[in-house]
Amino acid sequence: QVHLAESGGGLVQAGGSLSVSCTASGSFYTINGMGWYRQALGKERELVARVTSGGSTEYADSVKGRFTISRDSAMNTVYLQMNSLKPEDTAVYYCNAVGYNPDFKSFFTWGQGTQVTVSS
């Protein structure tokens, strides 16, 4: 079973920066991609950014140019650097990982979430 441990987040004023990180542990065969989603109060969870094992990245239009996703070479940790934060970035940020277990069954796993609050 894959476990995702998130860290970072917190409270920052508009225009400031924060970073969050997520490390995967447990038993898995491969991780094909990791990413970050967010869910604001009363809204649906949405993709923020994700990165594949090959290094391809995808960003939500709302964060392009402000957020940067990166990963370590072993693909077990993903980072999200958030700059020029806006109040509308306030949400619980969830780490996500997709890949295959040792029995070659696919997994799609969420972290517990970390709060990011941007004050105006």
Side-chain angles (χ1 to χ4, degrees), residues 4-119:
L4 301 178
E6 300 155 334
S7 62
L11 173 65
V12 67
Q13 289 187 330
S17 298
L18 281 175
S19 63
V20 289
S21 64
C22 172
T23 299
S25 62
S27 179
F28 52 86
Y29 176 69
T30 185
I31 295 178
N32 294 341
M34 296 182 75
W36 290 93
Y37 289 69
R38 67 186 180 187
Q39 188 166 18
L41 195 63
K43 295 187 177 181
E44 294 186 353
R45 192 172 299 189
E46 62 177 4
L47 173 69
V48 176
R50 56 189 173 192
V51 57
T52 69
S53 57
S56 298
T57 58
E58 180 182 356
Y59 294 91
D61 288 342
S62 59
V63 307
K64 284 180 181 177
R66 300 188 297 121
F67 290 12
T68 303
I69 191 168
S70 61
R71 60 177 175 81
D72 71 358
S73 58
M75 193 50 193
N76 288 347
T77 299
V78 64
Y79 309 92
L80 185 69
Q81 177 65 40
M82 302 177 285
N83 298 327
S84 302
L85 282 160
K86 304 175 181 180
E88 50 263 45
D89 295 317
T90 295
V92 177
Y93 283 67
Y94 295 91
C95 180
N96 168 262
V98 295
Y100 290 91
N101 291 320
D103 59 1
F104 302 109
K105 291 183 178 179
S106 63
F107 67 81
F108 186 91
T109 299
W110 294 103
Q112 79 282 2
T114 185
Q115 179 71 44
V116 170
T117 302
V118 185
S119 63

